[in-house]
Amino acid sequence: MTVNHAWTGSGPRFELNWAGRAWICDVAATAPGLWPVDVACGPLLALDGVSTPGRTETALNGNTLEKAEIVQGRLEANYAPEGWGGLRVRAAWTPRADGSIDLETQATASSVGELREFEVYVASRFVDNGGGRRRVWVEPRDSRSAGLSYDGREGDARGWTTLPPLEPSGRLAPRILPSPWSEAERYVELAHRDDVARRVVFSSRMSSLGHATRYAFFGHDLERGVVVRGRLRAFWLTGADFEARALEELDRFLSEPPPLGP
């Protein structure tokens, strides 16, 4: 698998070749992320909102976009939603030489005591699950994070299933999904357990492709002077032994130093 390392476009719509397919990222869309041009699926690696107890908004979109540019091969978009304590969110989609793409999310704020247990949502969808019956599974980082699903930010979450928190030394397992193009291909996402408070999986009862995955990054109080960053890595595998190969990639991912950035 290869990646064209040069994003093209002048904004807000950018294009990229990923795994031999053409993708579009519109950083001013309702949920900025990657859309394939040849199949009804997506977006992947998409900004899906921000939340605190009792409040969730899709606040990262064209209405709050401050700037978007290509910087040293990565696509950066900066958002400044009003009414969120001086919140600033920077998203950067970075193609890598190994065929993967990293989405790094950074958040800062100018307020004190306003953004409690703050989360940034990043989601990948293969179809829209909104109209049918679905099951919802929550993988929490710890017991404190498990409670975030029931503090009002998710609305009515009574039918959700929350799994036991990760062990202190546990890892967030790779998310491996079937490809909409080929039965011999899988889409894989990797994240560090320290970055993600909750991973929420929406699974359709009707279709093997009827699923969405949402990562709730951070889950910490965000105060003036604090910078939080998290990464999500995505790639495609073809052939066989998907789980074993994804676990090998997870080992490499977790061994890398955390993103420092400017």
Side-chain angles (χ1 to χ4, degrees), residues 46-120:
L47 303 176
D48 205 38
V50 293
S51 75
T52 56
R55 182 186 184 192
T56 296
E57 288 186 13
T58 55
L60 308 177
N61 50 47
N63 294 327
T64 62
L65 179 67
E66 283 192 319
K67 180 177 67 172
E69 59 184 339
I70 299 169
V71 180
Q72 297 180 348
R74 66 191 226 155
L75 171 58
E76 292 187 0
N78 293 269
Y79 300 88
E82 294 185 4
W84 282 85
L87 175 66
R88 296 292 185 273
V89 175
R90 184 187 71 187
W93 292 266
T94 305
R96 291 168 38 87
D98 62 3
S100 63
I101 290 182
D102 279 1
L103 170 56
E104 178 190 317
T105 306
Q106 172 182 294
T108 62
S110 60
S111 58
V112 176
E114 185 170 343
L115 299 180
R116 299 296 187 187
E117 298 179 318
F118 170 78
E119 294 178 324
V120 171

